[in-house]
Amino acid sequence: MVEQVNMSSQNGSVHLNGHHHDHSSTKTKAAEDTSLLGPSYKQILKSRALYPMLIIASVQAAPILYDKLRVQAFFHDVAMQIPSTVDTYTVCLMLVAAALTYLAYYFVYVPGPILMLDFSCFKPDDCTRVSKRTYVEKAKRSGFFSEKSLDFQEKVLALSGLGDETYAPPSTLLEPVDRSLKATHSEAQACIFGVADEIFSQGIVKPKNVDILVLNCSMYSPVPSLAAMVVNKYKMRKDIEVYNLGGMGCSAGLIAIDLACKILKGRRNSYALVISTEIISAQFGYPGNQRSMMVGNCLFRTGSAGVLLSNRRADRWRAKYEMEHLVRTNNGADDASYNCVHSTQDEAGNIGISLSRDLMRAAGTVLKDNITTLAPKILPLSEKVKFAINYIAIKLNKGQKPTIKPYMPNFKKAVSHFAIHPGGRAVLEGVAEKLDLDDWYMEPSKMTLHRFGNTSSSSVWYVMAYLEAKGRVKKGDRVWQIALGSGLKCNSVIWKSLKTAQEGPSKNCWATFIDKYPMEIDTTLPQPQSEK
């Protein structure tokens, strides 16, 4: 129905569907906002943007004052002996003033380094745990799958590396599964508000202090956006910069970090909150029999993470990490890479995420491209020399046998810890082989996959939380986050630890059960029905 608008010419008011709105209050408020000492003018004063201008004025006034003193001494016959070195003093004064001007400009206008003050990972209620046996039993009762499809999913679960304590959305544990918009939105609120509440409760910043908000979620994009939901919940400022990323897959968490960092580099003394999640209620439990679309049912689980960033130099003493490098690689121009992970419909019209057989090959290619870009930025000189010698030898030996194998640099000399996206057992094994990493380096990602499953874009933060819970990260250590996602994309971030102990203000999602890890992961296939 079209809204009825009744205008009253006597009092200048507007009635919208029976609601009265007085223009006089609006005009008064507008007059207050545009006053000489309004919010914008006060903000300029608070930003100390006038400091460099005052110093520049002082530099310009110094020689003028000096000239006036000399003129007065000449015309009034004042017995004023000016040393011969006064010009040198003046030059030194001007140089010092110029240096102070530069320092003032640097500290007032140039943003500081990107600092991570804190991060938090969402730990769902224990009542939402779903074991592998529970999943198989629910799949059987659903009536959606054939016997072959059930056997296939049972084998995938057994080989996946997931344990029996991963978390599923509450709506998917009901009989029947609740796929309503209300259930999906409830999961979004629990995941997003869970990590935001944890960060704000520590008192590092208040919601009104956040200048930038970036939220990413691939599968669920309501109107208003999930980012707008956060602004409304915490009553954030009107001038906050808000971004909502969708459809960018498991690597979107680091893309969101990159976006926040780019904005922080353009404005000083700012805080950015990045929230990464995946709301799987609407897509969890593909009810069809296409094998490439059933794999996602077995791997994806509930999770979210919140990261608080700052570019305030004064925050360095309380920051946990400083960002050193961020490299993004996108092979979406290649058709095989583009199609290896995509949402689609099967022949029966069921919607799900299809994982093609080209996934591992495409993942290896995009990972190699990403490493090639990042390596020169972080490798020590010795490794660069070895790589260069190997490269020249390969070129000189081209076309001859035996061929020379390419040299894979030893990244363990440049990085202390690896936080690799636990997308699945095959993904982790592929990355470990590519980077020549042993079980100690792969333990955090394998244990994260076992305990929390593939939580999509937030998964690398669960790996970081494991490293901290185990007390592995020391001051000066480098942590390399690697995330692979649909597109196909590979993103890397290098964080440098600024603290010896990484307890941090927020509660660690591993804290209550970290003593049980690492543990042996059972990947034995289930016995055939005839042998049970």
Side-chain angles (χ1 to χ4, degrees), residues 132-145:
K132 290 179 283 189
R133 180 181 296 276
T134 300
Y135 174 86
V136 173
E137 291 176 352
K138 283 186 63 64
K140 289 179 179 179
R141 291 196 300 269
S142 68
F144 293 138
F145 307 105

Side-chain angles (χ1 to χ4, degrees), residues 206-474:
K206 297 179 180 179
K208 291 187 178 297
N209 298 133
V210 177
D211 304 285
I212 303 156
L213 173 64
V214 183
L215 189 148
N216 69 270
C217 179
S218 295
M219 301 304 298
Y220 180 53
S221 183
V223 177
S225 67
L226 295 175
M229 181 180 74
V230 176
V231 174
N232 178 261
K233 163 73 173 180
Y234 298 100
K235 308 304 176 188
M236 293 177 166
R237 300 199 318 262
K238 293 182 179 180
D239 62 343
I240 186 173
E241 294 190 41
V242 181
Y243 300 88
N244 199 102
L245 306 179
M248 304 197 78
C250 298
S251 65
L254 300 188
I255 295 175
I257 293 291
D258 182 38
L259 176 58
C261 291
K262 282 182 168 61
I263 302 171
L264 285 171
K265 289 178 181 178
R267 53 184 294 175
R268 65 180 300 276
N269 282 352
S270 299
Y271 291 111
L273 176 61
V274 177
I275 298 178
S276 299
T277 188
E278 191 56 74
I279 310 304
I280 59 177
S281 291
Q283 297 293 331
F284 188 82
Y286 159 71
N289 290 281
Q290 187 169 319
R291 290 194 170 188
S292 64
M293 300 170 72
M294 285 188 285
V295 176
N297 293 354
C298 306
L299 297 179
F300 289 106
R301 294 295 185 265
T302 300
S304 64
V307 186
L308 182 62
L309 303 175
S310 170
N311 64 356
R312 297 172 181 247
R313 290 183 175 86
D315 285 332
R316 189 175 186 86
W317 67 272
R318 62 179 179 179
K320 299 176 71 173
Y321 299 92
E322 178 183 351
M323 178 185 289
E324 288 194 340
H325 304 286
L326 194 153
V327 174
R328 292 171 54 183
T329 306
N330 192 323
N331 282 4
D334 178 68
D335 291 340
S337 178
Y338 173 78
N339 291 312
C340 64
V341 180
H342 65 284
S343 56
T344 184
Q345 287 181 307
D346 61 13
E347 296 178 353
N350 298 309
I351 299 175
I353 303 296
S354 176
L355 306 177
S356 75
R357 294 180 178 179
D358 294 330
L359 176 59
M360 294 310 302
R361 181 195 61 79
T365 301
V366 71
L367 176 64
K368 179 182 177 181
D369 294 341
N370 187 269
I371 292 174
T372 303
T373 305
L374 181 64
K377 302 177 185 293
I378 64 173
L379 285 175
L381 181 60
S382 59
E383 290 299 308
K384 293 179 181 179
V385 171
K386 291 178 182 179
F387 181 83
I389 294 175
N390 175 260
Y391 179 80
I392 295 173
I394 291 176
K395 289 295 183 181
L396 295 176
N397 196 53
K398 189 175 182 180
Q400 301 180 16
K401 293 184 179 181
T403 58
I404 300 176
K405 293 183 179 180
Y407 174 71
M408 174 55 67
N410 184 3
F411 285 96
K412 295 186 285 293
K413 292 185 177 181
V415 178
S416 306
H417 311 282
F418 296 80
I420 303 166
H421 165 56
R425 181 185 169 193
V427 172
L428 293 179
E429 289 178 351
V431 176
E433 181 181 358
K434 205 77 173 178
L435 298 178
D436 191 24
L437 301 178
D438 58 28
D439 290 340
W440 189 87
Y441 288 100
M442 296 303 299
E443 176 190 312
S445 294
K446 288 183 177 180
M447 295 304 106
T448 299
L449 180 64
H450 181 269
R451 183 60 179 81
F452 291 97
N454 182 353
T455 60
S456 190
S457 59
S458 64
S459 60
V460 290
W461 296 106
Y462 285 88
V463 182
M464 286 276 282
Y466 182 92
L467 288 168
E468 292 188 357
K470 280 293 184 181
R472 291 190 179 185
V473 184
K474 306 300 181 182

